[in-house]
Amino acid sequence: MLDPDQLLSGLNDAQREAVTTVEGPVLVLAGPGSGKTRVLTHRVAYIVGVVGVPAWHLMAVTFTNKAAKEMKERLGGLIGPTALDQLTIGTFHAICARLLRREAQTLAFDDRFVIFDTDDQLRAIKQAMADLNLDEKTYRPQSVLGSISSAKNELIRAEDYVAPSYWHEVAGRVYKRYQAILRANNALDFDDLLLETALLLRDNETIAARYKERYGFLMVDEFQDTNTAQYAMLRSLSAAADKDAPHNLCAVGDEDQSIYRWRGADYRNITRLRKDFPGIKVILLEQNYR
């Protein structure tokens, strides 16, 4: 076990509160240079090393591999390699890919699926358009792909896509053909990783219950950047629909970015968070150390 006084030394009052408030939902609004990475790593170390929660009950989600790597490096020095190996730390996409491979027997693809990158996606879109005799000058492949990506981020499958205009009706046809090409190649794109995971956890109660039981403590960095699919995944894992669940979700966001970036889906997620977790505690990290 870790010495709590030593672990918390050097943290200001707001940081200490964010680290030690481990029960119930928490929203940490952290401005630039306020030490949010330190708060996240010390919070994990506090839950594991002071509270005594087994490390495999924790999931920490980041948006970049760099952030995940930095978190692992810092935690290695705090909790040691054995506990570190038991933690689930990674990007949304990496964590979703692992979960889908584990649960592939219930899905429309097998666990050897490949992940299409942007170049692969564009080739598949162009192939879909060629199959449908569509002119790339009239319907730019990049724009069509963007429309499909937006739909997936809003949890809309190809068969449920509703077109508000003729252009979108064409994009909807491409969407269906594009998905058929992905399936023929046993492939998912990056948006599929989020979509398939969010819908699996939403619609399969048995699988969702297993992951909710395993991950009793969730932490997500850069919450202001989450889309609808990512929020749906977090909502399922934190058992938002169960009023008696502990809801140990800690969302960390950059309040400065909220001025110009918490719009559209991002802004709605703040509203969703407050609605789904009415007792959420908000902690402001206002001291700048830069």
Side-chain angles (χ1 to χ4, degrees):
M1 301 296 286
L2 299 177
D3 179 352
D5 292 332
Q6 183 177 351
L7 182 65
L8 298 174
S9 66
L11 300 180
N12 63 39
D13 290 344
Q15 290 173 332
R16 192 175 294 111
E17 183 181 18
V19 167
T20 59
T21 305
V22 299
E23 294 185 0
V26 180
L27 172 61
V28 180
L29 295 178
S34 60
K36 66 184 180 68
T37 302
R38 190 179 189 199
V39 164
L40 276 169
T41 53
H42 279 65
R43 180 182 171 86
V44 172
Y46 186 85
I47 294 171
V48 173
V50 177
V51 180
V53 175
W56 54 272
H57 273 308
L58 278 72
M59 177 188 289
V61 191
T62 67
F63 269 83
T64 66
N65 290 318
K66 180 182 178 182
K69 183 173 182 289
E70 181 181 357
M71 187 177 292
K72 289 177 182 177
E73 289 174 349
R74 292 194 186 193
L75 278 168
L78 291 171
I79 63 176
T82 301
L84 180 63
D85 287 343
Q86 295 174 358
L87 291 170
T88 297
I89 301 177
T91 64
F92 271 102
H93 293 101
I95 290 173
C96 287
R98 290 199 297 270
L99 188 152
L100 292 174
R101 292 193 195 281
R102 194 177 300 125
E103 307 297 340
Q105 71 275 7
T106 67
L107 301 167
F109 43 86
D110 66 44
D111 61 0
R112 297 167 296 176
F113 65 81
V114 296
I115 302 172
F116 273 17
D117 62 18
T118 303
D119 290 339
D120 296 326
Q121 288 178 273
L122 277 174
R123 280 193 291 270
I125 286 288
K126 291 178 179 181
Q127 180 60 56
M129 292 179 64
D131 293 345
L132 296 170
N133 296 314
L134 295 171
D135 184 3
E136 290 185 17
K137 293 181 180 179
T138 304
Y139 303 99
R140 290 182 59 248
Q142 189 70 56
S143 297
V144 174
L145 178 59
S147 180
I148 292 171
S149 177
S150 295
K152 290 183 178 183
N153 288 337
E154 290 294 324
L155 299 178
I156 301 170
R157 291 192 184 276
E159 58 268 27
D160 300 319
Y161 186 83
V162 177
S165 68
Y166 180 72
W167 187 95
H168 287 90
E169 190 274 327
V170 173
R173 282 190 276 142
V174 177
Y175 188 180
K176 289 184 177 68
R177 181 61 193 145
Y178 171 68
Q179 288 304 110
I181 292 171
L182 288 176
R183 290 295 172 267
N185 287 277
N186 193 35
L188 302 178
D189 61 23
F190 283 106
D191 296 316
D192 282 327
L193 296 175
L194 305 176
L195 170 71
E196 296 290 347
T197 301
L199 293 183
L200 177 66
L201 293 172
R202 187 192 72 183
D203 300 335
N204 191 312
E205 293 182 6
T206 301
I207 290 176
R210 190 162 70 246
Y211 285 97
K212 282 186 284 189
E213 182 178 357
R214 172 170 180 178
Y215 296 114
F217 293 83
L218 298 172
M219 278 149 282
V220 57
D221 195 10
E222 306 293 357
F223 183 79
Q224 78 279 353
D225 291 334
T226 56
N227 58 36
T228 297
Q230 290 161 331
Y231 181 73
M233 170 187 165
L234 294 170
R235 186 181 188 280
S236 293
L237 289 172
S238 55
D242 181 358
K243 64 182 180 63
D244 295 322
H247 306 311
N248 296 324
L249 168 66
C250 176
V252 180
D254 187 332
E255 64 176 343
D256 275 19
Q257 292 186 32
S258 71
I259 295 172
Y260 53 91
R261 290 185 63 179
W262 287 25
R263 299 181 297 198
D266 301 338
Y267 176 79
R268 292 201 308 271
N269 282 349
I270 295 300
T271 303
R272 288 166 176 160
L273 193 69
R274 294 181 183 274
K275 179 181 178 181
D276 289 336
F277 305 96
I280 193 166
K281 183 173 187 176
V282 180
I283 300 172
L284 302 179
L285 302 186
E286 299 177 295
Q287 189 168 338
N288 191 321
Y289 289 92
R290 290 179 182 173

